[in-house]
Amino acid sequence: MALRIITSPAKKMRTIDAPPLPRSEPALLARTRLLLEALRRLSPAEAQELWACSDRLAALNYDRLQRMDLDRDLTAAAVSYEGIQYRHMAPEVMTDGELAWLDEHLRILSGFYGVLRPLDGVTPYRLEMQARLAVGGAHNLYEFWGPDLYDALAAECDLIVNVASVEYSRAVTPWMRPGGPKVLTCLFCVERAGRLRQPATEAKAARGTFIRWCAERGVEDATELAAFSERGYHLRADDSDDQTLVFVRDSSA
């Protein structure tokens, strides 16, 4: 059973001319061009309201938007994103074999690009999936992308391993249908006062570590995922089922 892991992007991005270099073009780039046109039609005030950011960040990103080129000076997606998850994934120090596994098995969901392979060439942008950007009759990005992301995944796998945040997994999971890929969601929890919770910062670190662990082992089957034990996590079998794997971190870790 072919699997693909889906994960979230990071807000902070960079342009860097260092390995791993981009090797491919985003699959839904034509749709991205439509979003770029819509964003450029916004006034500075409208863009800042959409981004919900400070004056400084709004000015930076509005200037970046006007100069954006989707075809030049690109960085591989996996190293362009700079968040906690990507630091723990550490694609820049992966071996060639691990990078090959990552590029085949990992898909990064994006409000701007839709779905990305790790070595797709991207340029820095600011556009979260939950942004209320009206484009082509759609009221927001969930409507704009519709079933496109699920369909792109369905064309290449039988199982979607979901380690994305709720914001991004909502762009895929509502479109599940009979005969399409099943979705297996992985949760990374800590137990507090007898309840399981997912602290945001730790969950990001765990997701990146999980993806790196999969790449190091060349995981090809969902049955292999239960062995994940980095950062003090272990599978809580009693809380897991065929749709969800619940990993719980040892409180002493």
Side-chain angles (χ1 to χ4, degrees), residues 85-234:
Q85 173 181 263
Y86 291 87
R87 290 200 295 272
H88 284 81
M89 191 190 308
E92 66 277 7
V93 297
M94 285 184 175
T95 66
D96 289 344
E98 290 163 355
L99 275 175
W101 183 96
L102 194 75
D103 198 48
E104 180 178 352
H105 293 83
L106 181 66
R107 297 295 176 264
I108 304 166
L109 306 181
S110 162
F112 190 56
Y113 283 103
V115 61
L116 291 165
R117 295 173 66 114
L119 299 183
D120 281 349
V122 301
T123 192
Y125 65 90
R126 187 181 182 95
L127 190 64
E128 297 180 51
M129 187 63 78
Q130 61 189 358
R132 296 183 176 275
L133 178 66
V135 186
H139 296 90
N140 54 52
L141 294 180
Y142 292 111
E143 287 186 18
F144 173 79
W145 289 113
D148 289 358
L149 309 192
Y150 179 82
D151 289 345
L153 292 161
E156 59 180 10
C157 74
D158 307 299
L159 177 68
I160 297 170
V161 178
N162 173 28
V163 299
S165 65
V166 172
E167 175 189 350
Y168 283 90
S169 60
R170 278 183 54 208
V172 172
T173 55
W175 299 101
M176 292 175 59
R177 51 183 173 269
K182 296 179 180 179
V183 175
L184 178 64
T185 297
C186 296
L187 302 178
F188 303 94
C189 304
V190 297
E191 188 167 6
R192 294 177 180 169
R195 298 183 63 183
L196 295 180
R197 304 178 184 275
Q198 278 201 110
T201 300
E202 171 56 31
K204 291 175 183 177
R207 290 166 185 151
T209 302
F210 177 80
I211 293 167
R212 176 179 51 77
W213 178 88
C214 289
E216 289 172 347
R217 283 152 185 78
V219 168
E220 295 290 346
D221 191 275
T223 59
E224 300 173 63
L225 302 178
F228 176 68
S229 59
E230 301 289 305
R231 297 183 65 82
Y233 284 95
H234 64 275

